[in-house]
Amino acid sequence: MAKKTIHTLEEIYPESAVAAQRERYEKSAEEFRSIFGDSEQLRYFSAPGRTEVGGNHTDHNHGKVLAASVNLDVIAVVEPTDDNNITIKSEGFPEDSVDISDLSVHENEKNSSAALIRGVAAGFKNNGLNIGGFRAYTTSNVMKGSGLSSSAAFEVLIGNILSGIYNAGGISAVKIAQIAQYAENEYFGKPSGLMDQMASSVGGFVAIDFKNTQAPIIENIPVDFSSYGHALCIIDTKADHADLTDEYAAIPREMKAIAGYFSAECLREISRADVILNMGILRQKYGDRAVLRALHFFEENERVDKLVHSLKHQHFDDFLSSINESGNSSYKYLQNIFAVSDYTHQAVGIALNVAEHALTRKGACRVHGGGFAGTIQAFVPQDILKSFIVDIEKVFGAGSCHVLSIRPVGGTEVQL
């Protein structure tokens, strides 16, 4: 097992935010007591949201990504129990109570937090790990539907609770991420890759190679965007992507169909040259969009290496150019900017246009995460940050532009 780690507030949050975060945890403990009664055994856990910097829709085909945990998280106040029930009251949502003596997939729970709870517990059990009951109060500032992976943060949170309480905190961040993905795929019903969970669980700014998903290669890339005079911004278009599961699912399905022509399970097992040499039959058999999405995969995989190289050698202008190239490829080839079934709604495209104009040929911007709705990402020079925010919020409303920082710690138990 991995070494048990408990982090302090000072290790997790920026110095300027520690006092506010301590108050947040203490208020959450008060909420727990008001719901569940007094307790002397309260423990605290946190899991961050994540931002994808490079590798748009590559992880589900065993590709490469560049991602980071961010300074927004879901936290939990937890008390162990002696029964088989996991009961969670999340701020603003109905209480979930899951009997973990039954770890079968419940079809009526698909797309619900109860499914994620049951799925993570099942993943622990399937891996020979200990599980047990607890009750918890959670609160989150990872905006739901923001592209910062609130669901992955919740899954990683549950994994860290089960690790901390019933496995002496010894389950590795990679194993927790793998179990979290299993819960989302098999129980929640969303065919996500592993990037979201891995970035939340591992923490920091990391390059991940998913060629072997059972043993991904993870490299920490120390970077401070403010040292380059830029801020990392996420723009929330306020567009709902709740009904877009089929659009997301089509991307890995089409990519894997191309791979399947070569008797491969995923695109990582073949090359761009294979696709080019068989272009005619692939277009006829699978359609042009599937071919374009495959070409995006190969080019985006190479682009992650370029992004990492640029950051390691402090070539920030090259980094920004590659970010713009990534966004261009997602728009033209991956085609995850809007849903063809609802072409009248193109909030992501609008956001990219407004951001490009506000950046005045500086910085960079691209679609963020899954796409089709939700958010875009922008690297904004500090000297135009205020005007950039004003321009964005004229269109998408107050509070739609979030300035983020990289969090150095992934999912963890917290010591107050």
Side-chain angles (χ1 to χ4, degrees), residues 328-346:
N328 185 44
S329 181
S330 291
Y331 212 141
K332 293 196 301 188
Y333 307 131
L334 183 61
Q335 298 181 29
N336 66 332
I337 305 303
F338 66 92
V340 292
S341 59
D342 188 18
Y343 63 87
T344 61
H345 292 96
Q346 298 192 31

Side-chain angles (χ1 to χ4, degrees), residues 12 48 58 88 94 100 109 140 166 207 226 230 262 340 351 356 386:
I12 298 171
T58 57
I88 298 180
I100 57 172
E109 285 182 351
S140 175
Y166 293 107
S226 64
H230 282 70
F262 300 95
V340 292
E356 286 178 358
K386 288 183 179 179

Side-chain angles (χ1 to χ4, degrees), residues 21-31 33 416:
Q21 288 295 337
R22 188 178 304 279
E23 182 179 345
R24 178 186 177 214
Y25 278 83
E26 291 172 350
K27 182 180 178 182
S28 295
E30 292 175 8
E31 290 290 339
R33 294 186 180 99
L416 297 191

